Amino acid sequence: MSTFIAKPRVVVVVGTTGVGKSELAVTLAEKFNGEIINGDALQLYNGLPTATNKLPVPEQRSIPHHLLGCIGLGEETWTVGKYVHSATLVIEDVIARGKLPILVGGTHYYTQSLLFDDSLVKAGPEGDLSAEAQEKKWPVLAASTNEMLEELRLVDPEIAARWHPNDRRKIRHSLEVYLTTGRRPSDLYDEQQSARSRHTPARHTASELVSQEADVTTQSTSPPRYNPLILWIYVDLDQLIPRLDRRVDQMVDTGLIEEARSLHAQMRALERSGTLVDQSKGIWTAIGYKELLPYLWACTGAGPTARMAEELKEQAIELTKIATRQYAKQQQRWIRGKLLRALEENAALDKLTVLDGTELSQWPQNVEATAVDAVDAFLKGNPLPNSTLPPTLSNVILAPKPKGEIKARSCQVCDIIMMTQQEWDAHPRSKKHRKATRTPIDWQALYPKTRCQDNRPHHDDR
């Protein structure tokens, strides 16, 4: 715990989309003289307030919100390094004015990179360049995913083998680390793990720990930047999904389609003015916008029939619901598999309080009151209150996930790629593989057609 004593205090609210993180952050800011720092990658951009779930100004209740809608549509997209640099300056300013910084957002990749002073995020002297500037300096970073993977295999085959061939973000970042530092990411990993092993009990070898991680920027690192209190609003996915579906319907009712149409018109205007818009980055990747694109493009053409337009719109709404559910699952996996492990490896699990947000009727007791008690204890240096989850459920979600080697393996028969030894071992027993490798049955040999036994002709002999 001595690692955290001299660090600035920061309250961090995490959880999946749709659990009320922003609302809780405002309540805590009012109670403890705080200001809010946005930790959601898409809420950094100006536009799509409904699709990105920006808290409406009246609901911000006059609490200062930083890094919210601060990037214009025509500006370069931010890298995680740019975000960390900007957020660090904001937090320093908030603390200097005697306020409590409260970090809230669903991009836990950003949150974790900010909490832990990761040398791989900082990369090298070129690490703070925007994505566009990096691609101008190193065109390979704008190449196809397959081309980037081939380049990564040349410079660092060990790290290249850990990523799924379709995982563009991880492949690109590994290549970016190499280009900005001049060093292999796998070597930086080993040094990082060796440094940590000198300060924490060794339970695994460095190479084992390296292979367990799923992203070169999410290793827990030493030292941490801040002394954090992490409040995790937890809702079981089975109970969260209906809530998320209802929220998408509500977003449609409150103007999602209209704001997507407006953004689409701005994109077309930018391109007409000669500004190339990369729709694979930034605000253009927002859930609820990209799903509506077929509908929006259809409406800008000769004009679809009313029936066709309605079908495209309904398909987009359903795809938005599916994407939202998948995003919630990814967020929960990140918290369990990466953020909690980072806390564990820094002996900081006692800085986590889990809040049960399942029953909205119990929000004042299970979430709000417990969060207020936790922040109060945190600021006074007292032990945190117990999580509000039932002990059995708490033990399940806080249990470390099984560790195993991460390495891409390909089944040429099924044309499928697996990333873990467990998946590889189970694949030969799968229905798809057994069907693909089954020896075809020669039914003709087993059941030869019966020939006519007499020699009588089958035509008229007359």
Side-chain angles (χ1 to χ4, degrees), residues 150-170:
E150 289 301 317
E151 183 68 19
L152 184 60
R153 284 170 175 160
L154 291 175
V155 299
D156 193 344
E158 183 179 351
I159 204 74
R162 294 176 196 149
W163 306 148
H164 192 287
N166 295 334
D167 198 329
R168 181 178 180 84
R169 182 178 67 83
K170 294 174 184 175

Side-chain angles (χ1 to χ4, degrees), residues 194-409:
S194 297
R196 186 183 309 141
S197 66
R198 291 195 294 269
H199 300 286
T200 58
R203 290 173 295 172
H204 305 276
T205 66
S207 60
E208 286 173 334
L209 283 168
V210 168
S211 67
Q212 289 152 12
E213 299 299 335
D215 198 330
V216 295
T217 60
T218 57
Q219 292 273 16
S220 63
T221 59
S222 178
R225 280 192 179 89
Y226 304 105
N227 179 3
L229 164 64
I230 298 179
L231 303 171
W232 177 11
I233 306 177
Y234 176 84
V235 179
D236 184 73
L237 287 174
D238 288 340
Q239 300 183 57
L240 178 63
I241 285 173
R243 192 187 302 182
L244 295 177
D245 288 347
R246 290 193 298 270
R247 190 174 73 162
V248 171
D249 290 332
Q250 184 180 8
M251 290 163 60
V252 172
D253 293 339
T254 54
L256 171 64
I257 295 176
E258 288 72 20
E259 76 175 28
R261 184 179 286 114
S262 174
L263 185 67
H264 190 247
Q266 294 178 66
M267 182 273 293
R268 296 173 67 208
L270 285 171
E271 293 195 331
R272 282 196 299 269
S273 68
T275 301
L276 182 62
V277 177
D278 184 351
Q279 296 190 63
S280 68
K281 301 175 183 175
I283 191 67
W284 313 102
T285 65
I287 295 173
Y289 174 73
K290 62 182 187 296
E291 287 77 13
L292 278 164
L293 278 177
Y295 167 74
L296 296 173
W297 279 116
C299 291
T300 58
T305 64
R307 179 177 178 181
M308 182 187 300
E310 186 63 24
E311 288 178 353
L312 287 172
K313 185 173 73 172
E314 291 303 318
Q315 289 173 7
I317 293 171
E318 182 58 32
L319 288 174
T320 299
K321 292 179 179 179
I322 292 171
T324 303
R325 296 173 210 149
Q326 292 172 339
Y327 182 49
K329 293 176 183 178
Q330 292 168 5
Q331 289 174 306
Q332 196 167 106
R333 284 198 300 268
W334 187 286
I335 296 173
R336 287 192 60 198
K338 296 185 176 67
L339 183 57
L340 293 192
R341 194 173 303 285
L343 291 174
E344 180 186 23
E345 292 174 351
N346 280 276
L349 278 176
D350 59 345
K351 293 190 168 293
L352 170 72
T353 295
V354 185
L355 309 169
D356 185 0
T358 302
E359 295 294 336
L360 293 177
S361 61
Q362 299 299 312
W363 176 275
Q365 299 89 352
N366 288 347
V367 177
E368 191 171 303
T370 306
V372 168
D373 289 345
V375 175
D376 186 62
F378 172 65
L379 296 178
K380 292 177 179 176
N382 296 330
L384 301 182
N386 293 328
S387 299
T388 55
L389 289 172
T392 52
L393 181 57
S394 183
N395 291 337
V396 169
I397 68 168
L398 294 178
K401 296 180 72 175
K403 298 181 178 182
E405 183 188 13
I406 302 297
K407 181 179 179 181
R409 300 172 175 85

Side-chain angles (χ1 to χ4, degrees), residues 4-10 91-92 95 101 224-228 378:
F4 297 94
I5 290 177
K7 302 293 181 181
R9 287 190 175 97
V10 175
I91 291 173
E92 289 176 357
I95 293 173
R225 280 192 179 89
Y226 304 105
N227 179 3
F378 172 65

Side-chain angles (χ1 to χ4, degrees), residues 47-120:
L48 294 180
T50 302
T52 60
N53 296 295
K54 289 188 180 78
L55 198 63
V57 173
E59 295 179 26
Q60 294 178 17
R61 305 205 287 268
S62 299
I63 297 297
H65 281 63
H66 303 277
L67 302 181
L68 192 66
C70 59
I71 309 174
L73 294 181
E75 297 181 39
E76 293 181 339
T77 54
W78 281 19
T79 61
V80 64
K82 172 68 173 176
Y83 169 78
V84 168
H85 175 73
S86 300
T88 300
L89 294 178
V90 170
I91 291 173
E92 289 176 357
D93 176 65
V94 170
I95 293 173
R97 291 184 284 105
K99 301 294 187 74
L100 176 66
I102 301 173
L103 175 65
V104 59
T107 309
H108 301 122
Y109 169 50
Y110 278 31
T111 300
Q112 188 162 333
S113 298
L114 178 60
L115 290 180
F116 297 98
D117 191 5
D118 195 330
S119 61
L120 293 182

